[in-house]
Amino acid sequence: MSTRDSSSPSHRGQRISTKHYLTERQHEVFNLLRAFQEKHGFPPSTQELAQLMGVSSPNAAADVLRSLQRKGVISIARGVSRGIKITVDRNLDDVIELLRALVADEKHAHERAVHFLNLKGVKI
């Protein structure tokens, strides 16, 4: 019998899109973390994250961070300022969305996939 948490970001050993297992608020905060880190080169402090979230209490940010840590999309180094580390592939959501669109035979999905691959330097 498995004791694996059903909110785990993996399914049969493979990562799945964060859109499928994070709440809307968790996904929003995850995107704030990712954008801050991409812009500044380091993660936000809890206070900075609270400001980005539009809340006055760092405790509200800490609660969401703990939930993201439980779901395996970030890790938090205790006692370290700016100790938040994103643990999922940044492009995973984009790749999964492209695959979904291709499988669903959506209009322009092929062109979007080619563009994505070109941006990544993949020769077709």
Side-chain angles (χ1 to χ4, degrees):
M1 180 177 198
S2 174
T3 58
R4 197 176 84 189
D5 182 355
S6 64
S7 64
S8 172
S10 61
H11 177 70
R12 295 184 183 164
Q14 296 181 353
R15 297 248 182 226
I16 60 172
S17 170
T18 57
K19 291 178 185 176
H20 298 292
Y21 64 93
L22 297 181
T23 66
E24 186 176 330
R25 182 64 166 164
Q26 289 168 344
H27 199 264
E28 176 185 320
V29 172
F30 178 78
N31 285 336
L32 288 172
L33 287 171
R34 190 164 51 180
F36 186 98
Q37 182 144 352
E38 287 173 359
K39 180 178 181 180
H40 299 284
F42 51 85
S45 66
T46 305
Q47 181 66 43
E48 289 168 332
L49 182 59
Q51 291 172 350
L52 292 170
M53 292 170 58
V55 297
S56 58
S57 169
N59 289 334
D63 288 344
V64 178
L65 287 173
R66 282 190 294 275
S67 68
L68 291 172
Q69 184 178 30
R70 279 192 304 273
K71 291 193 175 183
V73 297
I74 66 167
S75 63
I76 303 170
R78 290 182 160 228
V80 176
S81 178
R82 302 180 187 278
I84 303 164
K85 180 180 177 190
I86 296 172
T87 59
V88 295
D89 185 350
R90 297 172 195 264
N91 294 314
L92 185 60
D93 285 341
D94 294 337
V95 171
I96 289 174
E97 176 56 26
L98 282 172
L99 286 172
R100 187 205 56 76
L102 285 167
V103 169
D105 202 27
E106 288 183 7
K107 187 175 183 179
H108 304 297
H110 181 266
E111 291 84 0
R112 289 176 28 223
V114 168
H115 178 70
F116 180 83
L117 291 171
N118 286 333
L119 288 174
K120 299 298 177 187
V122 177
K123 303 264 186 214
I124 301 175

